[in-house]
């Protein structure tokens, strides 16, 4: 097949009889920049409102209403793109590749929720993120996930974050965008696989609270880490906790940490030894992760367009594969030397090895860190919302008798009350 | 209270109804999706078929109507489906919203107050237990992630390594550096000199393809049963009919079966198997097993070496280069090579060109070609079509009046090419039938064989033959010459000595044995090995003079290799090294 | 408490650092996706790779490059039965190209955009045998502006890249090459 670049084979016409003039053609413009500014304003406004609703006003109804607004605006109106979850990939690529520009809108979308999380906690997740709000609305019959299982599954979003960073930074594509299940719902179209995943997650979300947020969302990792150090945070009780246990089963997301039951002191020694073992294990995990990440990284490079093309061209050149693909045929038309393609692909592979090592180190750090944290003896006096996992959904407030008292609602019989502070 | 109960039942009814609606609409959308919309229209095979039919029957009005009908239907259906998809999804969302609203209402009406007493007292140490289980869960998740990473890492990497940097040229003309014999990459120049090549037996029938090792001295008799003059005997792991090649202390042999094509290196002094290397094509694919005859085998082409790497070709089309330590440097598939008896031409080499003669089919089929690959990278350098029929002869690179010529024989031409760029230098139409023997040059006379038809002698470059012998042409063995006389052994065992300048018979002798291996000359000894494994060592001269007899005790089809004080013979199972003890 | 304040402050500084590193390039402004018609190999993936069901990539016609030929190789099938508008003669599977007579021997070919699905069959015919005036472009009234364009990912010639939203089209015209 000979593909020739367009040549002007036929001369321009001369309309001598009719004097016909050439028609122009339409060039519809993309949506104007002011709409981008509007999006940013709405985002920041919604974040502020969510913070106030969750921390100050303490209103579940308000959170739900804001959530519905976010689903409608950020979800169905803006079709779920640009979103904060995906924007971290743009930022990663911008930091790694100096020729890649990140527009200001994307920067704000990526960083504003993190800033709010540093100050107020995960208010983004509560009612501003359309994915989270959608899942929140779907939750009808919460089934509790065992806490230990939740801890294990939490490794997935950390891994997803690491992988997303690898691919974004090396120019291998945005896997968060490619595998986002909810954007197909917002756009009302998509590949059959992704639509089914979206529907599947929604159905799952009827029973398991916020499955994407807890077990998949890579941005949630960052929000959780930021929220850990927030200045103000969601409190279950408006003032004092009486350890009445009434809020224990009110959180569908396992985000309430109960007060610690007295543990026998004979276990102190084993606990201390275990903690030491976990600390010693950390460098081992870092080494193992870094090494394995580098090895795997080289193979992940096959996902990058250049490497994929180079591999295909090499197979054709050495006779191991017959015929050409669209991509290899397009490459050969350009007439570029094969050796330069191989050289480019090797450079990309090297980037992937480095990125893989970093990702492996990251996962090793996360696993090691989790094991250490799980080995620490903690003493907690009150029932608290977990700093990392609480998404500020405001479901737990109404179960606290102090809150009911504050609102002037009838308190259940026998519920202990502390004098309001 | 009654009012709320009424609302409750109403909400429940709405929830169920809208839930059902959502499910049904979802099913409709799924069904709509499966049949395809735009892709069905754009990639319709039926349309293509009908258009082709119309081109062959342009006046068929009914066909035109059918095409128009089909076109209309497809367009209508596609756009209808697109619209259905849009509207149904919106309806689905509306239904979902109604469902959620009513379901939430139902749920909140049903909500009960929490009852901590019913949950039971909290156990001491429950948090420790949970933490312990959680640690196992985290470790398990890490194991899963690691396992996935390992699984991903087993995917083959199909990229060539960076091109080899130019080696330093330190000793261009000397004897092979000892390091190259030990299996390290040679630090001498990347290409062997002509003198180096002459001192080894680097290809089928030795340097120049002549079958002559002028400085070699071999014992005149040996016996594998008693071990007389047998220095060593080693089993070759895989079968093949290719002949061995020798460079310094390394003896290379190829063997293959259906699952692998391999090269083996033996130590010339001890017979120990230094290594065996199997060809791995990029992508990991195995080419299909070619049809080979019993008399050719899956490892018929003899390999070739330049003292830096050994190059092997197999009838599957696999061709690869290995360094002297057994590491594969490159591999390609240049197949298919099949011809009616199984591909058997051996490789030839000239400086950095690896030369492959691929002759197949009939001359007019245009399937025959001569191919040159870069010895360092395997990249094709040139390829020339040959208007010849299938052949089993091997090409030879000869020095003709100071000019290197690559000479290939097949029916009907003997053609000479410039091995550097493949340009044809001359051709002579003098052959017919299935050409299997390879040509030899002695002095200024090139001898080629057309099996069962003729032995021809011609001067390189001439368009006519110098002489032509109409009988006694062998069908498999190649001739050998000591410069004055030409020795030809037929498959039946009839050995004839001709005068190389005139083609006249000098003497004949019937050895009464089947012969497949081509004879070799070491010094003034003519060595012949029969299919049964019996050997004769004769003195070259104007009369039949037997110097001794040998016996290896197994079948032999590969040609013997004399070098230095040794003679290497590859039998059906073993490789023998024969040296006077 | 103090440790938390410190970490919080450090994180804020970190985020500020990220902003500072990137903000200079953010002035490049917003970008949209567009096809480079000179790199396009008319593979046809634009029609099915878009996340929208009817692709945002559509054919446009550069009239100043068009030869206005009677036998338009972008409009007609190879070896058409007859040079008329019958379905069996047309290349376009959705019938989105309209052929109108101007004056002898010139015909004008216009594209009805709502019907075009971006399959590039006409583009291939025009580029291979004609002037190459028909080409695919992403229409920005339809394009959803995904963060990562899935047509760009599928394009075998790597012809789709981000362009400044102030110049959102890469139309072909006679002067370019």
């Amino acid at each position: 097949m000979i593909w020739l670049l367009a040549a002007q084979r036929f001369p321009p016409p001369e309309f001598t009889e009719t004097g016909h003039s050439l028609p122009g053609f339409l060039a519809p413009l993309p949506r104007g920049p002011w709409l981008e500014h509007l999006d940013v304003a709405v985002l920041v406004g919604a974040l502020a409102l969510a913070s106030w609703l969750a921390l100050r006003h303490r209103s579940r109804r308000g959170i739900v209403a804001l959530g519905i607004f976010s689903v409608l605006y950020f979800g169905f109106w803006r079709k779920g793109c640009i979103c904060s979850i995906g924007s971290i990939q743009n930022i990663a690529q911008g930091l790694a590749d100096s020729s890649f520009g990140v527009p200001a809108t994307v920067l704000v979308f990526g960083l504003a929720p993190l800033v709010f999380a540093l100050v107020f906690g995960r208010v983004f997740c509560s009612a501003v993120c359309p994915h989270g709000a959608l899942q929140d609305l779907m939750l009808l019959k919460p089934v509790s996930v065992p806490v230990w299982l939740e801890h294990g599954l939490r490794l997935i979003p950390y891994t997803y974050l690491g992988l997303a960073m690898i691919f974004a930074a090396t120019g291998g594509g945005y896997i968060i965008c490619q595998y986002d299940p909810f954007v197909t719902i917002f756009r009302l179209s998509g590949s059959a696989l992704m639509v089914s995943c979206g529907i599947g997650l929604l159905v799952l979300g009827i029973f398991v609270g916020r499955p994407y947020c807890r077990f998949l969302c890579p941005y949630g990792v960052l929000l959780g880490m930021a929220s850990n150090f927030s200045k103000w945070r969601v409190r279950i009780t408006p003032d004092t906790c009486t350890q009445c246990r009434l809020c224990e089963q009110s959180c569908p997301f396992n985000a309430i940490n109960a007060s610690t039951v007295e543990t026998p002191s004979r276990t102190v020694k084993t606990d201390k030894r275990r903690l030491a073992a976990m600390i010693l294990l950390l460098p081992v995990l870092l080494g193992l992760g870094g090494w394995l990440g580098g090895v795997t990284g080289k193979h992940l490079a096959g996902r990058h367009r250049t490497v994929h093309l180079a591999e295909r061209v090499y197979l054709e050149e050495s006779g191991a594969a017959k015929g050409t693909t669209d991509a290899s045929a397009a490459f050969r038309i350009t007439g570029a030397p094969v050796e330069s393609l191989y050289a480019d692909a090797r450079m990309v592979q090297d980037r992937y090895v480095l990125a893989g090592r970093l990702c492996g180190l990251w996962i090793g750090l996360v696993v090691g860190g989790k094991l250490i944290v799980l080995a620490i003896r903690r003493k907690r006096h009150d029932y608290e919302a977990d700093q990392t996992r609480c998404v500020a959904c405001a479901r737990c407030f109404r179960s606290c008798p102090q809150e009911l008292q504050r609102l002037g609602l009838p308190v259940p019989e026998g519920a202990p009350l502390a004098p309001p502070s | 209270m009654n009012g709320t109960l009424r609302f409750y039942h109403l909400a429940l009814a709405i929830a169920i109804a809208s839930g059902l609606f959502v499910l049904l609409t979802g099913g409709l959308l799924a069904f709509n999706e499966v049949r395809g919309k735009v892709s069905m229209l754009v990639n319709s095979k039926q349309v293509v078929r009908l258009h082709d039919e119309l081109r062959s029957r342009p006046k068929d009005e009914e066909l035109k109507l059918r095409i128009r009908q089909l076109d209309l239907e497809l367009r209508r259906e596609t756009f209808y489906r697109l619209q259905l998809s849009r509207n149904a999804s919106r309806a689905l969302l509306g239904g979902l919203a109604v469902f959620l609203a009513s379901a939430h209402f139902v749920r909140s009406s049903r909500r009960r107050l929490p009852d901590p007493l019913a949950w039971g007292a909290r156990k001491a140490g429950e948090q420790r237990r949970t933490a312990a289980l959680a640690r196992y869960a985290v470790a398990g998740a890490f194991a899963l992630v690691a396992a996935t990473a390992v699984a991903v890492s087993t995917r083959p990497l199909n990229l060539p390594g960076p091109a080899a940097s130019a080696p330093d040229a330190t000793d261009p003309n000397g004897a092979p550096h000892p390091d190259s014999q030990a299996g390290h990459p040679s630090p001498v120049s990347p290409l062997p000199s002509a003198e180096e090549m002459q001192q080894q037996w680097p290809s089928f029938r030795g340097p120049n393809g002549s079958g002559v090792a002028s400085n070699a001295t071999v014992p005149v008799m040996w016996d594998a049963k008693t071990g007389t003059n047998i220095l060593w005997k080693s089993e070759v792991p895989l079968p093949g009919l290719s002949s061995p090649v020798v460079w310094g202390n390394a003896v290379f042999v190829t063997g293959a079966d259906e699952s692998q094509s391999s090269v083996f290196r033996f130590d010339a002094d001890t017979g120990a198997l230094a290594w065996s290397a199997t060809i791995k094509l990029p992508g990991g694919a195995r080419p299909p097993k070619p049809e080979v005859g019993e008399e050719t085998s899956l490892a018929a082409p003899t390999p070739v070496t330049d003292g830096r790497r050994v190059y092997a070709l197999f009838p599957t089309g696999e061709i690869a280069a290995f360094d002297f330590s057994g590491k594969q440097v490159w591999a390609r598939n240049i197949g298919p090579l099949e011809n009616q008896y199984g591909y058997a031409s051996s490789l030839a080499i000239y400086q950095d060109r690896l030369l492959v003669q691929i002759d197949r089919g009939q001359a007019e089929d245009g399937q025959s070609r001569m191919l040159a690959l870069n010895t360092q990278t395997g990249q094709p350098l040139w390829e020339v079509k040959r208007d010849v029929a299938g052949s089993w002869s091997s090409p030879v690179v000869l020095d003709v009046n100071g000019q290197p010529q690559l000479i290939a024989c097949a029916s009907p031409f003997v053609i000479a090419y410039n091995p550097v760029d493949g340009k044809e230098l001359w051709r002579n139409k003098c052959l017919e039938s299935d050409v299997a023997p390879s040509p030899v040059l002695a002095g200024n006379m090139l001898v080629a064989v057309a099996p069962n038809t003729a032995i021809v002698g011609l001067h390189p470059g001439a368009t006519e033959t110098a002489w032509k012998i109409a009988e006694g042409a062998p069908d498999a063995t190649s001739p050998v010459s000591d410069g004055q006389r030409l020795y030809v052994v037929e498959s039946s065992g009839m050995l004839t000595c001709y005068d190389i300048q005139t083609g006249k018979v000098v003497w004949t002798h019937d050895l009464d044995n089947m012969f497949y291996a081509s004879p070799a000359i070491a010094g003034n000894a003519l060595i012949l090995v029969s299919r049964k494994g019996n050997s004769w060592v004769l003195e070259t001269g104007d009369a039949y003079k037997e110097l001794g007899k040998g016996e290896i005790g197994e079948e032999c089809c590969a040609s013997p290799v004399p070098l230095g004080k040794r003679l290497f013979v590859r039998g059906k199972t073993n490789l023998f090294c024969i040296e006077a003890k | 408490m103090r440790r938390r304040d410190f970490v919080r402050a450090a994180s804020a500084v970190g985020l500020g650092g990220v902003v500072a590193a990137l903000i200079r390039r953010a002035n490049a402004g917003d970008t949209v996706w567009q096809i480079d018609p000179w790199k396009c190999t008319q593979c046809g993936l634009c029609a099915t790779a878009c996340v929208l069901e009817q692709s945002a990539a559509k054919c446009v016609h550069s009239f100043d490059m068009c030869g206005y030929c009677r036998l338009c190789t972008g409009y007609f099938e190879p070896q058409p039965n007859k040079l008329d508008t019958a379905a069996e003669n047309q290349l376009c599977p959705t019938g989105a190209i309209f052929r109108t007579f101007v004056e002898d021997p010139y015909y004008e070919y216009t594209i009805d955009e709502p019907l075009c699905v971006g399959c590039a069959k006409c583009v291939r015919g025009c580029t291979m045998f004609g002037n190459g005036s028909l080409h695919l472009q992403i229409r920005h009234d339809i394009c959803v502006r995904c963060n990562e364009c899935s047509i760009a990912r599928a394009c075998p010639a790597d012809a789709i890249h981000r362009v400044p939203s102030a110049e959102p089209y890469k139309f072909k015209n006679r002067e370019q090459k």
Side-chain angles (χ1 to χ4, degrees):
Chain A
M1 227 197 288
I2 309 167
W3 292 358
L4 302 167
L5 286 177
Q8 296 278 282
R9 296 185 183 88
F10 302 99
E14 281 167 20
F15 300 116
T16 45
E17 284 173 27
T18 55
H20 178 84
S21 55
L22 298 182
F25 53 87
L26 293 172
L29 291 174
R31 67 198 297 263
W34 70 272
L35 281 165
E36 308 290 317
H37 302 324
L38 177 66
D39 287 339
V40 169
V42 172
L43 175 75
V44 175
L47 280 169
L49 185 57
S51 314
W52 180 73
L53 285 170
L55 270 63
R56 242 318 148 74
H57 197 60
R58 297 173 60 89
S59 157
R60 169 88 189 135
R61 287 231 179 97
I63 294 277
V64 170
L66 182 60
I68 293 177
F69 168 75
S70 295
V71 168
L72 290 174
Y73 185 83
F74 292 115
F76 291 105
W77 177 244
R78 296 295 294 117
K79 303 259 189 324
C81 183
I82 176 93
C83 77
S84 302
I85 309 178
S87 61
I88 56 173
Q89 296 166 121
N90 297 57
I91 293 174
Q93 192 172 4
L95 289 172
D97 178 358
S98 55
S99 66
F100 183 79
V102 181
T105 320
V106 173
L107 260 185
V108 175
F109 261 81
L111 299 179
L114 284 176
V115 170
F116 271 82
L118 270 180
V119 183
F120 299 112
R122 283 175 76 162
V123 291
F124 174 73
C125 301
S126 65
V128 184
C129 177
H131 292 34
L134 184 61
Q135 290 170 91
D136 217 64
L137 292 173
M138 290 298 301
L139 184 58
L140 288 169
K141 184 154 178 41
V143 165
S144 182
V145 176
V147 176
W148 59 266
L149 181 61
E150 176 138 4
H151 276 286
L153 290 174
R154 293 252 332 132
L155 192 58
I156 300 176
Y158 286 90
T159 314
Y160 197 6
L161 177 66
L163 285 173
M165 293 294 101
I166 294 183
F167 286 111
T170 54
Y174 289 171
I175 61 171
I176 298 179
C177 298
Q178 284 169 31
Y179 299 112
D180 182 351
F182 293 119
V183 75
T184 54
I185 313 273
F186 294 138
R187 275 191 210 126
L188 298 178
S189 77
S191 75
L193 176 65
M194 290 322 299
V195 170
S196 334
C197 285
I199 294 176
L201 267 179
L202 279 188
V203 170
L204 183 64
I206 297 178
F207 306 104
V208 175
R210 292 191 178 228
Y212 183 81
C213 302
R214 287 152 82 192
F215 306 125
L216 283 172
C217 181
Y219 194 51
V221 167
L222 297 172
L223 287 171
M225 294 199 310
S227 168
N228 221 334
F229 302 102
S230 66
K231 198 159 164 61
W232 293 291
R233 59 206 25 203
V234 172
R235 293 172 54 81
I236 305 176
T237 175
D239 32 53
T240 326
C241 176
T242 56
Q243 296 90 47
C244 68
R245 296 182 65 189
L246 283 170
C247 64
E248 234 174 60
Q249 307 219 350
S250 63
C251 179
F253 314 125
N254 281 336
I256 294 184
N257 292 331
S259 56
T260 46
V261 180
E262 216 27 69
T263 45
S265 53
R266 60 181 158 81
T267 55
V268 173
K269 222 171 172 186
T270 28
D271 286 353
K272 279 214 178 110
R273 255 183 298 187
R274 185 180 299 118
L275 178 60
M278 295 297 141
I279 293 179
L280 286 175
L281 193 57
L282 179 61
V284 172
L285 286 170
L286 283 174
L288 178 64
W291 169 78
L292 188 58
V295 168
T296 316
K298 202 162 191 191
H299 295 268
L300 289 176
R303 229 174 165 275
H304 189 275
R305 165 191 290 278
T306 307
V307 176
H308 191 79
L309 177 63
E311 288 188 344
R312 173 70 204 183
V313 168
Y314 180 57
L315 283 179
E316 287 172 18
E317 291 280 300
S318 60
K322 301 272 182 260
T324 56
T325 56
D326 278 334
S328 62
F331 168 73
R332 288 176 198 288
I333 290 178
T334 64
V338 168
E339 273 308 319
S340 70
L341 176 66
Y342 294 155
D344 286 340
R346 277 191 288 269
M347 263 176 20
V348 171
Q349 260 188 345
D350 290 338
R351 287 214 303 268
Y352 268 85
V353 168
L354 174 64
R357 286 206 185 109
L358 289 173
C359 179
L361 274 174
W362 161 249
I363 294 180
L365 178 66
V366 167
V367 172
K370 267 188 168 305
L371 288 174
I372 291 177
V373 162
L374 286 170
I376 293 178
R377 286 165 69 94
R378 237 177 257 278
K379 270 212 172 68
R380 206 177 293 112
H381 187 256
D382 292 343
Y383 279 71
E384 289 171 351
D386 184 282
Q387 289 159 243
T388 314
R389 297 206 296 274
C390 172
V391 289
C393 72
R395 276 186 174 85
C396 53
F397 298 159
R398 285 294 176 92
S399 54
C400 180
Q402 315 289 11
E403 175 76 7
L404 294 171
Q405 188 186 59
R406 183 183 76 98
L407 291 171
L409 291 171
V411 177
E413 264 186 45
L417 281 175
S421 54
Chain B
M1 193 58 190
N2 221 4
T4 348
L5 191 63
R6 248 211 326 263
F7 275 131
Y8 172 79
H9 283 304
L10 180 63
L12 187 60
I14 295 178
I16 294 175
S18 54
L20 275 172
F21 174 75
V22 165
L23 282 173
L24 285 171
T25 323
L28 173 67
L29 276 173
F31 180 67
N32 192 25
E33 183 67 32
V34 162
R35 296 283 302 282
K37 305 176 204 81
V38 170
S39 55
M40 175 197 69
L41 174 64
V42 167
N43 298 330
S44 165
K45 285 197 175 49
Q46 204 183 3
V47 168
V48 173
R49 218 173 4 102
L50 287 179
H51 277 260
D52 282 338
E53 265 187 53
L54 185 62
R55 267 187 276 274
S56 59
R57 302 201 307 265
K59 297 263 186 275
D60 189 342
E61 292 298 319
E62 200 236 320
L63 183 56
K64 288 186 199 170
L65 278 175
R66 260 175 55 206
I67 295 182
R68 288 179 205 162
Q69 188 67 22
L70 176 66
D71 169 76
L72 183 63
E73 272 171 24
L74 281 176
R75 283 189 287 133
R76 221 183 243 154
E77 213 183 322
T78 303
F79 284 100
Y80 167 70
R81 288 243 186 84
L82 282 171
Q83 193 155 27
L84 175 66
S85 182
R86 263 197 298 272
N87 296 337
S89 352
R90 291 201 187 117
L92 184 108
L93 278 177
L96 184 65
V98 170
F99 169 73
L100 284 178
S102 47
H104 275 294
F105 182 81
V106 167
R107 188 173 151 270
S108 63
S109 311
R110 279 226 201 121
R111 197 169 16 204
R112 283 181 198 72
L113 291 173
D115 185 4
L117 294 173
W119 303 336
R122 292 180 58 205
K123 297 190 183 55
E126 76 172 0
Q127 263 138 358
R128 277 188 81 243
R129 263 194 304 278
T130 319
L133 276 174
R135 279 195 298 272
Y136 284 121
V138 169
F142 178 61
L144 262 174
V145 170
T148 318
V150 168
V152 166
S153 305
T154 53
R155 193 186 80 94
L157 281 174
N158 295 322
L159 265 191
S165 51
D168 49 345
T170 49
D171 188 9
N173 279 332
H177 200 276
D179 268 356
S180 70
Q181 296 173 12
H184 300 301
S186 172
V188 302
S189 67
L191 295 176
S193 65
E195 288 81 2
E196 263 187 279
M197 294 286 273
Q198 294 298 327
Q199 287 160 13
Q200 313 294 335
W201 192 277
S203 53
F204 178 56
R205 312 209 69 225
N208 310 324
S210 57
V212 175
S214 29
N215 298 326
T217 48
V218 302
V220 299
M221 64 88 68
W222 53 88
D223 190 337
K225 267 201 294 279
T226 61
T228 314
N229 283 341
I230 304 280
L231 185 61
W232 50 260
K233 147 182 159 180
S234 299
E235 186 178 334
V236 181
L238 287 175
L241 297 181
S242 59
S243 306
V245 294
V246 185
W247 189 287
N249 200 31
V251 184
F252 298 103
V253 179
T254 60
D257 62 19
E258 285 180 32
S259 61
Q260 54 183 351
S261 306
S262 306
V263 177
F264 309 103
R265 173 178 165 168
F266 293 89
D267 182 294
D269 294 328
T270 63
L273 175 62
W275 48 255
S276 59
T278 302
I279 294 187
K280 284 189 194 37
L281 284 177
R286 278 281 311 164
K289 173 172 178 280
E291 292 289 318
V292 295
E294 252 183 52
E295 318 215 302
T296 41
S297 89
L298 285 168
T302 296
V304 82
T305 175
D306 56 3
R308 281 79 177 140
R309 286 170 291 269
V310 58
Y311 310 90
L313 171 66
F314 293 84
T316 50
E318 292 165 297
I319 183 168
F322 299 89
D323 66 17
F324 270 47
S325 63
K327 184 157 149 275
Q328 180 176 300
V329 178
W330 55 259
R332 293 179 74 88
N333 183 339
I334 55 173
L337 303 177
E338 291 182 39
N339 56 28
Q340 63 257 45
Y341 303 120
Y343 183 82
S345 302
S346 296
L347 293 168
I349 193 168
Y350 176 72
Q351 294 192 342
D352 65 342
R353 272 105 167 107
L354 184 64
L355 303 153
V356 190
Q357 179 174 342
I358 304 175
D359 289 340
R360 313 165 61 204
Q362 302 298 319
E364 53 271 13
D365 289 346
Q367 283 187 322
S368 306
R369 56 196 171 116
M370 180 72 78
L371 176 62
L373 304 178
N374 180 317
T375 54
Q376 237 180 5
T377 62
Q379 289 301 311
L381 292 171
W382 54 258
E383 181 172 324
V384 176
K385 272 207 167 349
R386 285 161 57 73
D387 48 351
V388 298
S391 76
W392 294 263
S393 152
S394 300
V396 286
V397 179
L398 300 170
D399 184 324
V400 178
N401 303 327
Q403 186 196 33
Q405 294 191 1
L406 168 67
I407 303 198
C409 296
S411 168
F413 297 106
V414 174
I415 307 182
Y417 305 90
N418 181 337
V420 173
D421 55 13
K423 282 209 180 39
E424 189 174 309
L425 299 170
W426 55 264
R427 61 166 63 190
N428 191 317
K429 188 168 180 176
C430 54
L431 298 175
E432 47 189 304
S433 78
D434 300 328
V435 178
S438 302
V440 288
L441 181 72
N444 65 348
M445 190 65 73
L446 180 72
V447 178
V449 178
N452 302 319
T453 311
I455 307 174
V456 295
L458 55 130
H459 297 289
T463 43
E464 298 299 319
T465 59
W467 46 260
K468 193 167 181 166
I469 303 166
E471 53 182 30
D475 55 354
T477 62
S478 302
V480 71
S481 170
D482 60 3
Q484 288 174 298
R485 287 161 287 268
L486 181 74
Y487 301 93
V488 178
V489 62
E490 295 175 66
S491 305
S492 57
M494 185 65 78
L495 172 65
T496 312
C497 172
Y498 301 88
D499 178 297
I500 197 162
Q501 290 301 324
T502 60
K504 290 220 174 11
V505 176
V506 180
W507 53 262
T508 77
H509 185 90
D510 188 355
L511 295 168
D512 199 20
N513 247 279
M514 299 282 287
F515 279 83
Y516 205 77
S518 301
I521 290 181
N524 64 348
L526 173 66
I527 307 158
L528 298 122
V529 184
S530 74
R531 282 184 80 157
K532 285 219 195 90
N534 309 321
S535 315
W536 288 257
V537 180
L538 312 176
E539 188 178 292
T540 58
D542 288 328
Y544 176 82
K545 184 163 170 212
E546 197 177 288
L547 295 175
K549 276 191 161 137
E551 176 71 60
I552 59 167
E554 56 186 65
E555 284 175 42
C556 178
C557 291
S559 301
V561 175
L563 190 66
K565 288 198 172 48
R566 297 173 178 153
L567 178 70
F568 299 93
V569 179
R570 185 210 183 143
K572 188 169 173 184
T573 322
N574 294 293
L575 175 65
F576 296 86
C577 177
I578 295 155
E579 183 178 358
K581 285 206 192 134
Chain C
M1 273 311 137
R2 271 211 315 256
R3 192 186 61 197
R4 291 162 53 84
D5 290 331
F6 170 72
V7 174
R8 195 180 321 123
S11 317
V13 169
L15 287 178
V18 168
V19 172
L22 298 175
I23 197 73
R24 261 172 296 132
R25 280 177 267 144
N27 293 332
D30 267 336
T31 55
V32 294
W33 295 98
Q34 196 46 268
I35 304 173
D36 182 345
W38 299 104
K39 282 194 188 162
C40 169
T41 56
Q42 311 100 35
C43 67
L45 284 172
C46 279
T48 47
C50 185
V51 291
L52 300 175
E53 291 197 312
Q54 193 173 354
S55 176
K58 291 188 190 294
C59 183
V60 299
H61 198 187
S62 166
F63 290 104
D64 75 327
M65 277 176 77
C66 181
Y68 280 74
C69 309
R70 194 162 156 264
L71 202 185
C72 173
T73 49
Y75 179 82
F76 285 111
E77 269 257 309
Q79 302 155 43
N81 191 279
K82 208 165 133 198
L83 293 186
D84 62 13
T85 56
E88 68 268 12
N89 302 319
Q90 285 191 39
L91 253 188
C92 179
T94 55
I97 309 183
F98 291 120
R99 181 181 193 248
T100 43
F101 180 71
V102 179
E103 66 175 58
D104 196 50
Y106 298 121
Y107 289 77
E108 189 166 83
Y109 299 92
T110 48
I111 298 167
D112 184 5
E113 287 217 351
L115 286 177
C116 177
V117 292
C119 69
K121 288 193 164 120
C122 61
V123 180
R124 171 171 285 200
C126 180
T127 314
M128 278 173 70
F129 303 110
N131 281 5
S133 55
L134 289 168
H135 53 289
L136 284 182
Q137 289 282 280
I138 293 178
R139 306 307 266 162
H140 291 295
D141 49 344
I142 305 170
C143 174
V144 194
R145 281 177 74 184
C146 300
N147 202 11
E148 188 196 41
C149 178
S150 50
I151 315 182
R153 199 169 70 237
C155 178
D158 199 18
I160 304 178
H161 288 278
R162 288 184 155 98
V163 297
S165 54
E167 283 162 57
Y169 290 96
K170 283 185 168 190
F171 293 123
K172 273 183 170 182
N173 57 51
R174 197 167 270 276
E175 284 78 44
Q176 283 172 342
K177 242 324 176 254

